[in-house]
Structure formats: structure tokens, C-alpha cells
Amino acid sequence: MHRRLAFIDTLRGIAVLSVLVQHVFELIVEKHPTGAYYWPIHDVFGYYMNFGRFGVVLFFFVSGFVIPFSFPDSTTPVRDFTISRFFRLYPAYWTSLLVGLVTMQLLESKVYPLGQVAANVTMLQTFVNVPNLWVFYWTLAIELLFYVGCTILFAMGLLNQRFTAVTIVVAAALVGTTAALMIENRTVSSVMEVGLNLSAMFLGKIIRDTVVGSKLRWTHVAVCTLLYAIFAATLSDRRFGGVYHENFFYSYSIGSAYVCAALVFIAFAVFGERMAWRPMAFVGVISYSVYLMSPFVIVAVHRLVWFGNGPLGWSLFLAVILALSILVSWMTYAFVEKPCISFGHRFRSARRKPVVLEPALSTQGAAE
């Protein structure tokens, strides 16, 4: 299970392209006259389904499927896990920061406070109440929280206990749903939203424990998914309201995103590698770079070229952004992300050697 799974990479590809498409059509609706197409497009991407949130939550499920099993069998697994995560996340993130600062200064004449930039370099800006330079960085704070939570559970010997993830998802759903119903406070809703995102991750682990190794049963998946879906629907209604404001965030669309992400992930997990699609899996391999770089590709293309209003122009706009995003992201992956991950392997400790008992001791142990 340490080899790359093509169906997981396919899911990553679907996730990042969903985010990209959402961003493109939000820009089209907000910046250009769409006439009779305005409400149909707006409803698809804002009322019925927020594809950006769908893609992000799908990423969270993938993290839950992968990260808890990423602690190496080495003499210092926590240290090695931390090193691998650092070299996996930070170099590409710093590249995105640099590209973003240059792009926004040249094309939009935007300059950011030095303190905000410095805080964002650490990737810890959310935890010290400093705004993200760009809103899509918000997901990285959730990932870091999950890594810390998994590390603590691993150190306590609880991470791979049979019912740890089940307990977390059930408890989070019950507490979060109750809080959403009884407490009308935006800060509380924001905290509960973090809990919902972490629940998606631990639900991803539950699904893996069911399809790989059969540690859990599908009844566990069904119950946890149902509670998670109720949590998502309730919190979405309280946090984003039942009135459709023209900001692409509506209770129904956000709730649908969380529930549909769970259903899609379960379907892929059930059928496994039969759901893999090579072109989409390739996008999945470079998906972290696509997520980090595509927003600036969108800004650049929109600023420098426009293909006209109407379905044909919008389709060309989307196609160019998609092609350039994949090209730029492949370059970031090939020249930054992949080499840095390989470089990080140099700092990892040796694998733990299996303990071989002497025959006499082995016999004595068996007798006892």
C-alpha cells in the first residue's frame, strides 16, 4: 500500500479540476456580462453545487485515506513523518507565494504588508490570526491540523486502533450538529466547520480501514457517513443561510458538496483501481502544484487575453487556463516538488530492523 494508487490519483485530479472550474466560472459570472446565461451558470456553481468546496472536501477524504498510514517503519517515525511532510508541502508552497506576489504586483499592482507576507511564509498564518495572502490557502491550515492530530494519536498508540476514527467522527458529528442547532454564533460555526473538515478526513480513514484489511465493516461506514451528512447539512444551513446571496455560497450548495464528496469517494474506494483513468491520474500526481499555481494562471490569462462572451468564448477561456495550469504545474512538480521530496529522503532515519529471537528464547517465550 506504499505504492501510488492510480484511483487515488484519479480522485486528486477530479478534485483539483473541480476547484479550477469553479474559480473560472465564478470569474466569468462576476467580471463579464453573461446575459441569459447568468442564472443558469450561477445556479449550477452556487445554488445546486459548489464544485470548489466539493473538490476541496474530496482532497480531505484522500488525505484521510493516505496520511494516517504515512508514518514510516523507521527508528524515528514521527521525526521522519514530519520531515517528509515538510518537503512535500513547503517548497511548492513557497514557489506559489513567490509566483503569486510577482504576478499580482505586475498584473494587478497589488502590494501586501511585509508582516502578512512573513506570516504566510510559515504557513501558520491562520493560527496567529493573520489573513491568507490568497483565500485558497485556507485548506492548508486544515491539512496541518490533521497532520498534528495524526501525530499525537500515533504517539499515543491510538491512530490505528480499530475504533479511534469512528469515535472521532461520531463525536464530532453529534457535538457539531447539536452546536449548530443550539448556538447561533459565527465564531462557533467557523470552529464547527473546521471540525466538519477534519471529520471528512477521519471518515476517509474509516473507509480505508474497511476496504483495506477489513478492520471495520460497511455498517461503520454507513453510520458514520450518515452522521457526517447530517452534520454537513445542518452546519451549512446555519453557517451560510437559507437565502441565496449572489456569492456562490449557499447552504444547499455547500451541504451538497460535502455529501457528494463522500459518496464519490466511497464509490471509488469500493471499485478501487477499476476507477483509475490514466489522464486524470496524471493530473492527480501534480494536483498540489495545480491547486497552488492555477489561481495565478487564471489571473494572468484573464488580464492578458479574452475570447469574448458566450459559450464558445468561455469554453476557450477555460481550455487555455486548463492547458497552461497543467503545463506550469508540471514544471513546478518536476523542478521543485519532486526534487525536494527526494532531497528530504536523505534526512530520514534507517528502517527499523525486525527483532530476531534466539531459538532458546523463542521456545521459552512460547512456553510461557
Side-chain angles (χ1 to χ4, degrees):
M1 294 304 297
H2 291 289
R3 65 183 176 86
R4 293 197 76 99
L5 296 174
F7 85 91
I8 289 293
D9 282 330
T10 300
L11 279 168
R12 289 190 178 106
I14 293 172
V16 79
L17 292 186
S18 296
V19 175
L20 187 152
V21 169
Q22 178 79 30
H23 289 165
V24 168
F25 277 95
E26 283 182 4
L27 186 147
I28 289 172
V29 170
E30 291 172 351
K31 301 292 186 181
H32 297 276
T34 51
Y37 296 99
Y38 180 86
W39 282 111
I41 295 176
H42 212 301
D43 285 350
V44 169
F45 292 95
Y47 185 87
Y48 296 109
M49 169 74 81
N50 187 302
F51 286 91
R53 185 60 62 98
F54 166 80
V56 164
V57 177
L58 204 53
F59 272 127
F60 290 159
F61 273 96
V62 169
S63 289
F65 192 91
V66 173
I67 296 301
F69 304 90
S70 298
F71 290 87
D73 182 22
S74 65
T75 54
T76 56
V78 171
R79 171 184 173 275
D80 294 340
F81 172 79
T82 303
I83 289 173
S84 68
R85 290 296 92 194
F86 176 87
F87 283 98
R88 175 72 175 86
L89 293 184
Y90 275 87
Y93 172 71
W94 287 334
T95 303
S96 171
L97 277 175
L98 180 61
V99 170
L101 290 171
V102 173
T103 300
M104 300 307 289
Q105 202 284 324
L106 291 178
L107 298 181
E108 301 290 336
S109 299
K110 289 187 177 180
V111 179
Y112 300 89
L114 183 59
Q116 184 183 8
V117 174
N120 274 254
V121 167
T122 69
M123 206 189 288
L124 303 175
Q125 60 271 15
T126 300
F127 305 107
V128 294
N129 201 31
V130 174
N132 292 303
L133 283 172
W134 300 287
V135 66
F136 62 93
Y137 283 168
W138 74 270
T139 62
L140 301 176
I142 305 298
E143 290 284 347
L144 291 178
L145 278 175
F146 185 61
Y147 296 166
V148 171
C150 286
T151 300
I152 293 172
L153 291 172
F154 179 84
M156 296 173 64
L158 296 174
L159 182 60
N160 290 313
Q161 291 294 315
R162 187 182 182 194
F163 290 112
T164 297
V166 172
T167 302
I168 290 172
V169 172
V170 170
L174 294 177
V175 172
T177 303
T178 303
L181 289 172
M182 299 184 65
I183 305 174
E184 293 190 18
N185 181 280
R186 190 162 185 81
T187 301
V188 172
S189 295
S190 298
V191 173
M192 291 301 102
E193 188 177 6
V194 173
L196 177 60
N197 292 324
L198 293 173
S199 294
M201 292 170 156
F202 281 105
L203 184 52
K205 182 183 185 303
I206 291 170
I207 295 167
R208 173 162 177 160
D209 285 340
T210 303
V211 299
V212 180
S214 301
K215 289 173 62 177
L216 295 172
R217 300 177 182 274
W218 282 108
T219 52
H220 297 117
V221 174
V223 170
C224 289
T225 302
L226 177 61
L227 292 174
Y228 157 87
I230 294 172
F231 182 15
T234 305
L235 181 62
S236 297
D237 179 65
R238 293 290 179 163
R239 177 141 170 72
F240 299 103
V243 179
Y244 185 29
H245 304 290
E246 298 176 26
N247 62 355
F248 294 92
F249 285 87
Y250 175 64
S251 58
Y252 186 86
S253 66
I254 299 298
S256 296
Y258 278 95
V259 174
C260 288
L263 296 179
V264 168
F265 188 82
I266 290 171
F268 269 74
V270 168
F271 292 100
E273 294 297 82
R274 287 173 288 179
M275 299 293 285
W277 184 35
R278 189 177 296 275
M280 192 64 71
F282 167 76
V283 177
V285 170
I286 63 172
S287 59
Y288 183 50
S289 289
V290 175
Y291 185 80
L292 292 174
M293 305 302 291
S294 61
F296 308 118
V297 173
I298 293 173
V299 170
V301 173
H302 180 247
R303 182 74 175 181
L304 299 174
V305 63
W306 182 247
F307 298 96
N309 297 316
L312 178 59
W314 301 331
S315 298
L316 290 172
F317 182 59
L318 175 61
V320 169
I321 288 173
L322 178 61
L324 288 178
S325 293
I326 291 176
L327 175 61
V328 171
S329 301
W330 175 80
M331 293 174 63
T332 304
Y333 175 79
F335 297 108
V336 177
E337 196 176 338
K338 190 175 180 180
C340 288
I341 292 172
S342 298
F343 181 72
H345 290 164
R346 301 181 182 184
F347 301 97
R348 297 173 64 172
S349 57
R351 293 182 62 84
R352 183 182 291 115
K353 295 180 180 180
V355 177
V356 179
L357 298 176
E358 294 294 334
L361 294 176
S362 179
T363 305
Q364 181 182 1
E368 292 174 351

